[in-house]
Amino acid sequence: MTLLALGINHRTAAVDVRERVAFTPAQLDAALGELKRLPAVSEAAVLSTCNRTELYCVTNDGAQSVLEWLGRFHNLPVEDLERCSYQHLGDEAVRHLIRVAVGLDSMVLGEPQILGQLKDAYQFARKSVGLGGELEQLFQHIFQVAKQVRTETGIGENPVSVAYAAVSMASHIFDDFARANALLIGAGETIELVARHLKEAGIANICIANRTLSRAEQLANELGGTAIGLEGIPHALEKADIVISSTASQLPILGKGMVERALKKRRYKPMFMVDIAVPRDVEPQVGELDDVFLYTVDDLQEVIEENRRHRELAAAQAEELIRQGVNAWLHLKRVRSGGEVIKRYRSHGEQLRAECEAQALAELQQGRDPQEVVAQLARQLTNRFMHYPTLALRQASGDDRQDILQTAQTLLLAPVDSSQDPS
């Protein structure tokens, strides 16, 4: 049996293909059940996000049967899947899984969300079909290595998306960030990401202004915020500590006069503004006001580029920690496989001991001399323990198996510290 990681991601397939191979939450339970019932699969887990679908299996038949099942489940020709899928086996699968967990295989280098998604996939597989020893222990090891990478390299500390960079800059302006009021202008993808980052950062008061009020209301309802039309912006500005704008307007939405009037109402309490739009939503003259901190998309790009360089350096450090993590996993796996041999060996020894002990006790009950019984017990134990190793050594000598003889010398003739209890 070997570990298999088979998947399709943003690098190998367009979004229309990724959509077709993705598993909805409603499908996942049935899919895991089917996957684990394949004759070649003994353990299975599934990770399905907008950017990747990956199957993690312990299998004895490589990837073909798993790939064919994926095609059947989604009614896709297996030939199409072969062209856009990838597979990793054994230690390469372990390495791939760790790189996924720490965000090195993500569209945004080092993004932290994927680790939570992988933990969710692990928990779902445990509850749905149960995980055997290999995947259970592997996931625990991966989470441990991922934590080490994030702690020691800081790969996720510096924002590399416009939305996250805007929120990160805002968080450094205010002492009590969670109490700040945020006004977001627009309701497209970027503003949606900004809104979600603000929510995750603890901002409770979020107002979304948009030309189409229904779209603003939809997003505000999802986040527990409020929605207004563009005509409500002047009043909303009076309460806004943070203003982030990203619309498709060809003309500025916020002028110097509007902001000046809002500042007066605010008694000149500072206002942090980020204009992500191109063309700009905020007149450049707004940045001349003493109590306004205005940043444009160009300012953010400089921050993002610098942060990307930091993440790339952290990624190089992470690769070394991942290499160590893979080696540690292989070591643990070898130890576990050796543990089974040790268990059988000790069981055999206990059986011999019990047989010889029972015979000795029976002879003592019959009145035999205890010294003779003890001497015979020692001879029996020694001879029975040495019998099979002696036969194997003779056979190895006759076959000139120096490797076996050398190993036997290490195992059987190693010096023993008599001060320590060998048990």
Side-chain angles (χ1 to χ4, degrees), residues 250-280:
Q250 296 301 304
L251 296 172
I253 291 174
L254 299 182
K256 185 178 180 181
M258 183 192 298
V259 177
E260 276 184 314
R261 289 188 290 274
L263 285 171
K264 188 174 181 180
K265 291 281 188 178
R266 290 168 56 81
R267 297 185 179 181
Y268 300 98
K269 184 181 177 183
M271 187 183 296
F272 174 82
M273 289 187 171
V274 181
D275 185 359
I276 304 175
V278 178
R280 285 181 281 188

Side-chain angles (χ1 to χ4, degrees), residues 27-280:
Q27 292 176 317
L28 203 50
D29 192 56
L32 273 168
E34 288 186 22
L35 184 56
K36 194 175 178 183
R37 285 193 293 272
L38 292 178
V41 174
S42 61
E43 301 175 43
V46 174
L47 172 67
S48 189
T49 73
C50 58
N51 284 329
R52 73 178 63 242
T53 292
E54 294 192 342
L55 313 178
Y56 311 120
C57 306
V58 176
T59 175
N60 61 6
D61 189 32
Q64 192 60 32
S65 62
V66 176
L67 193 66
E68 290 172 354
W69 169 82
L70 183 63
R72 288 195 303 272
F73 190 92
H74 289 299
N75 294 316
L76 291 170
V78 70
E79 296 80 10
D80 292 350
L81 295 177
E82 286 174 342
R83 284 193 290 269
C84 61
S85 64
Y86 48 86
Q87 55 182 274
H88 303 282
L89 294 171
D91 56 345
E92 281 302 312
V94 177
R95 179 176 181 272
H96 173 75
L97 252 167
I98 299 176
R99 294 186 83 254
V100 168
V102 301
L104 292 190
D105 196 55
S106 297
M107 184 178 293
V108 176
L109 181 65
E111 59 95 2
Q113 288 82 7
I114 187 64
L115 179 58
Q117 292 167 332
L118 195 59
K119 287 181 177 180
D120 289 343
Y122 157 71
Q123 291 291 353
F124 193 94
R126 286 186 73 194
K127 294 176 183 177
S128 177
V129 295
L131 292 178
E134 175 111 9
L135 278 184
E136 175 71 36
Q137 292 167 356
L138 175 59
F139 274 114
Q140 293 298 332
H141 181 72
I142 285 168
F143 299 149
Q144 181 181 350
V145 175
K147 181 179 179 181
Q148 180 188 10
V149 168
R150 292 203 166 270
T151 300
E152 297 185 14
T153 69
I155 191 168
E157 291 179 358
N158 301 298
V160 291
S161 71
V162 169
Y164 193 68
V167 174
S168 179
M169 290 178 70
S171 68
H172 289 91
I173 297 294
F174 300 93
D175 293 331
D176 195 352
F177 187 54
R179 290 181 176 272
N181 296 316
L183 170 62
L184 308 183
I185 304 174
E189 181 179 349
T190 300
I191 286 296
E192 181 177 351
L193 287 172
V194 168
R196 296 190 187 283
H197 288 316
L198 285 171
K199 189 72 174 179
E200 291 169 2
I203 296 288
N205 300 315
I206 300 175
C207 177
I208 300 170
N210 193 50
R211 192 177 306 278
T212 305
L213 183 58
S214 60
R215 173 59 186 141
E217 288 174 336
Q218 179 184 347
L219 183 55
N221 289 337
E222 292 176 13
L223 299 167
T226 58
I228 60 173
L230 296 185
E231 70 282 355
I233 289 177
H235 179 68
L237 270 178
E238 298 172 7
K239 300 178 181 179
D241 304 303
I242 300 167
V243 180
I244 302 176
S245 185
S246 177
T247 75
S249 175
Q250 296 301 304
L251 296 172
I253 291 174
L254 299 182
K256 185 178 180 181
M258 183 192 298
V259 177
E260 276 184 314
R261 289 188 290 274
L263 285 171
K264 188 174 181 180
K265 291 281 188 178
R266 290 168 56 81
R267 297 185 179 181
Y268 300 98
K269 184 181 177 183
M271 187 183 296
F272 174 82
M273 289 187 171
V274 181
D275 185 359
I276 304 175
V278 178
R280 285 181 281 188

Side-chain angles (χ1 to χ4, degrees), residues 320-336:
E320 173 58 24
L321 292 175
I322 290 170
R323 185 190 66 80
Q324 295 174 16
V326 173
N327 289 340
W329 168 255
L330 295 177
H331 174 75
L332 289 172
K333 191 173 181 181
R334 289 192 293 267
V335 169
R336 286 197 300 273

